[in-house]
Amino acid sequence: MQIQDLPYSDPGVPDARSGPRLLWWLGRNQLGGQCRALLWGMLHFASVCALPFCVGLAVQAAVDRSARRLALTGGLMLLCGTAIAVGDTFLHRAAVTNWITAAARLQQLLARKAAYLGSALTRRVAAGEVVTVSTGDVEKLGWFVEAVSRFTAAALTVVVVCVALLVYQPALGVVVAVGLPVVALAVLPLLPRATSRADVQREKAGRATELASDTVAGLRVLRGIGGEDLFLDRYRRASQEVRHAAVRSARMWSVISALQVLLPGLLLIVVVLRGVQLAREGRITVGELVTVYSAVMIVNYPLRHFVEIAMAYSFSRPSAQRAARVLSLERLTDTEGSRATELPGGDLFDPATGLRAPAHGFTAVVCGDPDMAGRLADRLGGHAPEPGPSVLLGGVPLDELSLDQARTAVLVQDKDPVLLSGTLRELLDVPASGTVRAEDALAAAQCTDVLDALVQGSLDASDPMDARITERGRSLSGGQRQRLALARSLVADPEVLVLDEPTSAVDSHTEARIADGLRGLRSGRTTVVLTSSPLLLDRADEVVFLHEGAVAATGKHRELIGTEPRYRAVVTRETEDEQHTSADTTAPPPPRDRPDPSDGAPLLGALEPLEEIEESA
């Protein structure tokens, strides 16, 4: 896989059972790139480590005054220099390619998982963790994947050098063969502590990022209540915690770096002392001493890759665990789809609550519990937050449809919809039936003032459709964001549209016009609105009242107001005292002591005065 071939047509199915398994899966899917990097790395490191032998031969040739051997050694050094340059160039190309392709594969997998789970992703994993995985963690995993091939090449080169020194000069080769593993492995006991400190730093940085995101998202509210200073102090404290954790982590890594310099230096001193002793005894020549000395100096270069691979694994292991946790998330319903390709049609029925929304009708649902309304909206869209019976569309379970089919059939607009940055034209460029124009959807959602505000806020856009929307629509009010999101849902024109409190942030006059526009534009389609607004309820074909997770009453809004006290309490926001007062006012009068008129009471009542006259007479 080359960089120009990205993105992958199919990134594959990751092994997300654990972090190490995910790392192994990423490396295994790049065997071609890993082998190329290994070969170029072997050429580069072997050429670098061959230079000391060439230098030793040249020194010995100069001592022996052999011009032919000196010229031959010069040619070998030129060949090694060329091999070093070629190997380093192509090793760098192969390493960067492995890094980028591994990171790109993981980013595609994360993007596919985010699209697959939808809004359920941020409910099951913190938003800050998702951001961390898709940015910094991706780079760390790519770093480890590409470092494996360089480490393998360095390790093989060190083994070759040790064997060569044992053959070339056994007396000094034994010292090098024993000392190099000690130098390479001496820092390993310090890595767990360094890794734990780095994990603490990343954890604190993630919390600081979440706090910053929450503060920016709620800046308008904070300004309204005067809480900017409070949250600024909180972020300052979180930032200082991150700084202290970073300093503690850097101290440990500085110790490791110092050991990387100290230990090879000590090995070099031991080799020189032993070599001088052997040279005085006449057991080695000057050229051999220079060769061994130069080899020990040069071999420090590939030895650094031992510490690098340990660092890469230490940093990538928690990153891989976080990535595996996100990639292992699954929908609670069937995702493969066992039904045919044609979309079902008919009533939308939820077995869990008994809710039935007739096909092609406008159904309003009133829930006393807002959280239950959100869970019901997710379940109606096929994103069940907990296991249970599947919602049926025309008698067909949604979990027996593929994810694409379920989303085409049922569209759910959340209570707090998200607007992506870009132009209004891009915002409304969504998969749609093509029968609803963007102008009609904007008009039905009462977005005239929103369009004017977008044009006024854009310096280079005279057409509202070309006006830019900032990230998450933060430059707009809550009501304006709601209306643009509603227009986007109307443009999509799904067979079933589920709206969760679509007008909670708009005034009553605008809400009334939206209710009329929504009813007119969705004529012939199934629309379910979860709301407690009397304006929307009054325009619904049928109102369903849910109490304690089940259907308690159905009918018209005006009927339920008069016949269902619990419904009236939710819609009118009555308190318990007001409910009792209302019940006393509407109660029938107490029975009278006199007989019922149908039993002749009028006649007896008419005779009572006559009896009183007779008695008085």
Side-chain angles (χ1 to χ4, degrees):
M1 186 70 178
Q2 299 299 319
I3 296 177
Q4 60 265 24
D5 299 327
L6 294 174
Y8 289 94
S9 57
D10 181 13
V13 180
D15 187 352
R17 288 176 290 177
S18 64
R21 288 178 181 273
L22 179 61
L23 289 172
W24 171 254
W25 180 85
L26 285 173
R28 191 181 61 199
N29 278 270
Q30 293 188 199
L31 285 180
Q34 296 283 7
C35 290
R36 284 192 294 271
L38 175 61
L39 293 177
W40 291 118
M42 285 290 297
L43 176 63
H44 173 65
F45 292 130
S47 301
V48 169
C49 292
L51 282 177
F53 294 93
C54 297
V55 172
L57 292 175
V59 170
Q60 191 61 42
V63 171
D64 296 340
R65 299 181 182 277
S66 175
R68 185 179 64 82
R69 282 192 293 155
L70 189 61
L72 180 61
T73 305
L76 290 176
M77 293 181 68
L78 179 62
L79 181 62
C80 287
T82 304
I84 289 173
V86 173
D88 189 29
T89 300
F90 286 95
L91 171 61
H92 181 73
R93 286 174 57 90
V96 171
T97 299
N98 289 338
W99 190 333
I100 293 178
T101 51
R105 183 190 298 273
L106 192 58
Q107 283 180 328
Q108 279 188 251
L109 291 171
L110 291 170
R112 186 172 68 178
K113 180 63 66 171
Y116 176 72
L117 293 173
S119 60
L121 175 61
T122 53
R123 285 195 299 271
R124 299 168 67 179
V125 180
E129 183 171 351
V130 175
V131 173
T132 301
V133 171
S134 59
T135 53
D137 288 343
V138 166
E139 294 185 2
K140 292 181 179 66
L141 293 176
W143 174 31
F144 174 77
V145 169
E146 72 84 13
V148 169
S149 55
R150 290 189 292 112
F151 162 73
T152 305
L156 292 176
T157 302
V158 170
V159 172
V160 171
V161 169
C162 290
V163 173
L165 288 177
L166 285 172
V167 174
Y168 180 73
Q169 180 44 253
L172 285 179
V174 172
V175 177
V176 176
V178 173
L180 284 180
V182 175
V183 172
L185 302 177
V187 298
L188 292 183
L190 299 177
L191 288 177
R193 182 177 298 181
T195 302
S196 63
R197 291 188 179 184
D199 291 343
V200 171
Q201 177 193 350
R202 283 191 292 270
E203 181 181 355
K204 292 183 179 295
R207 286 202 296 266
T209 302
E210 291 182 11
L211 180 60
S213 300
D214 292 341
T215 302
V216 173
L219 191 58
R220 186 188 300 268
V221 177
L222 292 177
R223 287 175 176 171
I225 63 176
E228 304 101 310
D229 294 338
L230 175 62
F231 275 79
L232 183 59
D233 291 339
R234 289 182 182 176
Y235 182 73
R236 272 202 198 96
R237 290 194 297 270
S239 179
Q240 290 302 313
E241 290 179 1
V242 174
R243 184 179 67 84
H244 291 308
V247 170
R248 293 184 72 251
S249 178
R251 286 174 181 168
M252 184 56 64
W253 289 113
S254 65
V255 171
I256 293 175
S257 299
L259 289 177
Q260 288 183 268
V261 177
L262 176 63
L263 296 179
L266 294 177
L267 176 61
L268 191 61
I269 293 174
V270 172
V271 169
V272 170
L273 292 177
R274 178 60 177 165
V276 170
Q277 181 182 0
L278 293 175
R280 286 179 177 178
E281 297 174 357
R283 297 169 58 183
I284 63 172
T285 63
V286 175
E288 291 174 341
L289 176 60
V290 172
T291 298
V292 176
Y293 172 79
S294 302
V296 174
M297 287 188 62
I298 295 297
V299 85
N300 287 329
Y301 171 56
L303 268 180
R304 290 184 177 273
H305 290 77
F306 284 73
V307 177
E308 181 186 358
I309 193 65
M311 292 175 62
Y313 180 74
S314 299
F315 280 105
S316 63
R317 181 180 54 81
S319 299
Q321 291 174 348
R322 283 193 293 266
R325 184 163 57 249
V326 174
L327 293 175
S328 63
L329 297 176
E330 295 291 342
R331 294 175 70 220
L332 295 177
T333 54
D334 178 28
T335 56
E336 299 299 328
S338 56
R339 289 279 173 171
T341 55
E342 60 271 9
L343 293 177
D347 296 350
L348 185 68
F349 177 68
D350 177 28
T353 60
L355 169 67
R356 181 179 296 277
H360 315 303
F362 187 174
T363 304
V365 181
V366 177
C367 298
D369 182 5
D371 293 334
M372 186 182 71
R375 294 193 297 269
L376 175 61
D378 290 336
R379 194 162 56 247
L380 293 178
H383 307 282
E386 65 274 333
S390 173
V391 171
L392 306 177
L393 178 60
V396 177
L398 284 182
D399 60 7
E400 292 189 14
L401 299 176
S402 67
L403 187 59
D404 291 338
Q405 288 178 313
R407 286 178 172 171
T408 302
V410 182
L411 174 64
V412 178
Q413 178 176 306
D414 291 335
K415 184 180 301 183
D416 187 17
V418 175
L419 301 183
L420 302 179
S421 60
T423 64
L424 181 58
R425 194 184 310 278
E426 293 171 343
L427 175 69
L428 300 180
D429 185 16
V430 295
S433 64
T435 59
V436 177
R437 300 186 307 161
E439 294 79 4
D440 297 334
L442 291 169
Q446 300 299 310
C447 294
T448 304
D449 63 319
V450 184
L451 301 182
D452 296 338
L454 288 175
V455 171
Q456 292 175 3
S458 301
L459 300 177
D460 55 349
S462 57
D463 186 353
M465 300 299 290
D466 295 327
R468 294 198 64 81
I469 299 173
T470 57
E471 181 187 1
R472 300 179 67 89
R474 291 195 176 107
S475 60
L476 303 173
S477 67
Q480 290 173 333
R481 288 197 298 269
Q482 269 193 343
R483 284 178 280 166
L484 285 179
L486 177 59
R488 179 178 58 187
S489 300
L490 294 176
V491 167
D493 190 35
E495 182 63 31
V496 179
L497 177 61
V498 179
L499 304 173
D500 188 3
E501 292 289 356
T503 59
S504 60
V506 301
D507 59 85
S508 58
H509 299 289
T510 305
E511 188 176 25
R513 293 194 295 269
I514 290 176
D516 293 333
L518 180 62
R519 183 177 177 85
L521 197 61
R522 290 290 299 173
S523 178
R525 297 285 199 179
T526 305
T527 306
V528 180
V529 181
L530 284 78
T531 182
S532 59
S533 168
L535 292 171
L536 289 174
L537 297 172
D538 193 44
R539 286 162 175 78
D541 297 327
E542 184 179 60
V543 178
V544 179
F545 174 57
L546 298 181
H547 182 68
E548 295 182 353
V551 174
T554 59
K556 293 288 188 179
H557 167 63
R558 298 176 186 269
E559 298 174 357
L560 294 176
I561 281 287
T563 60
E564 179 56 61
R566 294 172 298 181
Y567 173 84
R568 181 173 60 250
V570 173
V571 174
T572 62
R573 278 75 169 177
E574 288 183 353
T575 63
E576 293 185 3
D577 293 339
E578 291 173 338
Q579 293 181 41
H580 293 312
T581 303
S582 176
D584 294 340
T585 304
T586 58
R592 296 178 299 176
D593 295 334
R594 294 184 178 183
D596 188 42
S598 61
D599 296 348
L603 178 58
L604 296 175
L607 295 177
E608 286 175 359
L610 297 177
E611 295 173 354
E612 293 176 357
I613 294 173
E614 293 176 355
E615 292 176 356
S616 62

